[in-house]
């Protein structure tokens, strides 16, 4: 158990799972995420501002209304705590909630987290002609359509085009022109971590700037 058939060198070519098989595994993983009792009770530990956001977002989710939200806060203000509470609430009721982040490190902190590149099949090398590599008839497309909530953390690290193709993907899958296909989407990050931009600047002109938040 736990071994790869390719380890035994039974055939000259490496056996690779089909796209359908990989998607089936991903969907099984998403639908079988176990929510701990501690995570289910996280919403009771939210502070005043977090609770306002939590109540507004969950109200949109369970009333099937459109909702696009942005959670902005300095490092250490427990944005991830709010994400975990939202994900646990949705998943504990048997619904699908997709947890993503721009970086692998941020994604690993979220329960069931994946990078946005991986979850939505966004190519690493992206340009104005890029689109997400997901067929409308695929099982992955069905999973995204079923999702009640999509969380995308560290969105400031993403290129503008990534958000554009993500928006186009959801509109295409949901057959609507509503923002993000009418899904409840929670984007998060910290504006204070955005590096300064120098118009037409060269590499040597860029430098780190420290922002102190009181």
């Amino acid at each position: 158990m736990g071994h790869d058939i390719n380890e035994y060198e039974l055939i000259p070519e490496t056996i690779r799972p089909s796209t359908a098989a990989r998607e089936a595994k991903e969907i099984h993983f998403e639908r079988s995420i176990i929510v701990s009792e501690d995570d289910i009770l996280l919403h009771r530990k939210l502070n005043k501002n977090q609770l306002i956001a939590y109540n507004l977002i969950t109200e949109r989710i369970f009333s099937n209304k459109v909702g696009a939200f942005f959670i902005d806060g300095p490092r250490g203000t427990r944005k991830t705590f709010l994400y975990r509470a939202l994900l646990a609430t949705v998943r504990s009721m048997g619904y699908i909630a997709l947890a993503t982040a721009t970086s692998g490190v941020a994604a690993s902190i979220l329960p069931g987290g994946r990078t946005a590149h991986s979850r939505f099949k966004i190519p690493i090398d992206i340009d104005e002609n890029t689109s997400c590599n997901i067929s409308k008839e695929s099982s992955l497309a069905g999973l995204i359509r079923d999702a009640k909530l999509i969380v995308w953390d560290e969105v400031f690290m993403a290129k503008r085009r990534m958000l554009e193709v993500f928006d186009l993907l959801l509109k295409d899958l949901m057959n609507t022109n509503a923002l993000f296909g009418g899904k409840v989407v929670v984007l998060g990050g910290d504006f204070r971590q955005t590096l300064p931009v120098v118009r037409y600047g060269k590499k040597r002109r860029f430098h780190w700037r420290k922002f102190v938040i009181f």
Side-chain angles (χ1 to χ4, degrees):
M1 297 293 292
H3 288 276
D4 189 324
I5 190 173
N6 298 300
E7 295 177 14
Y8 299 97
E9 299 181 354
L10 300 177
I11 56 177
E13 296 184 2
T14 299
I15 296 177
R16 300 186 183 279
S18 65
T19 300
R22 289 196 300 271
E23 288 186 0
K25 186 176 181 180
E26 292 176 4
I27 292 167
H28 174 73
F29 171 78
E30 288 289 347
R31 295 189 181 278
S32 60
I33 292 176
I34 298 175
V35 183
S36 69
E37 291 292 332
D38 289 340
D39 277 4
I40 293 175
L41 299 176
L42 285 179
H43 69 280
R44 298 183 181 180
K45 302 177 182 179
L46 298 173
N47 62 35
K48 180 180 178 180
N49 290 332
Q50 290 171 331
L51 191 59
I52 291 173
Y54 173 87
N55 288 335
L56 179 58
I57 294 169
T58 52
E59 188 276 329
R60 292 293 182 90
I61 292 171
F62 298 120
S63 61
N64 294 317
K65 294 180 180 178
V66 177
F69 302 90
F70 189 88
I71 307 299
D72 175 39
R75 179 180 178 184
T77 52
R78 306 177 81 190
K79 296 187 295 294
T80 302
F81 193 86
L82 174 58
Y83 304 149
R84 291 177 66 97
L86 289 167
L87 292 167
T89 297
V90 175
R91 289 168 174 168
S92 66
M93 296 183 179
Y95 296 114
I96 298 296
L98 302 179
T100 67
T102 305
S103 71
V105 173
S108 67
I109 299 173
L110 298 173
R114 298 279 295 274
T115 65
H117 283 289
S118 172
R119 170 52 65 218
F120 304 115
K121 309 305 178 188
I122 304 173
I124 298 296
D125 296 323
I126 191 169
D127 56 35
E128 294 302 314
N129 298 315
T130 300
S131 61
C132 298
N133 187 24
I134 299 178
S135 168
K136 293 184 70 171
E137 289 74 33
S138 67
S139 52
L140 178 56
L143 177 73
I144 296 172
R145 277 192 291 264
D146 289 343
K148 282 282 190 180
L149 169 68
I150 298 175
V151 174
W152 186 338
D153 192 19
E154 299 292 359
V155 75
F156 291 122
M157 297 174 63
K159 294 182 178 180
R160 172 183 59 84
R161 184 58 184 166
M162 282 183 65
L163 284 171
E164 290 176 347
V165 298
F166 172 62
D167 179 42
L168 291 173
L169 169 69
L170 296 182
K171 288 177 177 177
D172 184 44
L173 295 182
M174 303 304 296
N175 292 315
T176 177
N177 286 322
L179 180 64
F180 295 129
K183 290 287 185 185
V184 176
V185 175
V186 176
L187 306 175
D190 180 4
F191 276 113
R192 301 153 195 82
Q193 293 178 349
T194 304
L195 294 176
V197 177
V198 178
R199 188 182 293 273
Y200 307 118
K202 304 295 183 181
K203 255 187 180 180
R204 62 178 177 273
R205 295 183 58 188
F206 289 88
H207 58 86
W208 293 100
R209 178 178 295 176
K210 184 176 182 181
F211 293 88
V212 180
I213 307 300
F214 297 96

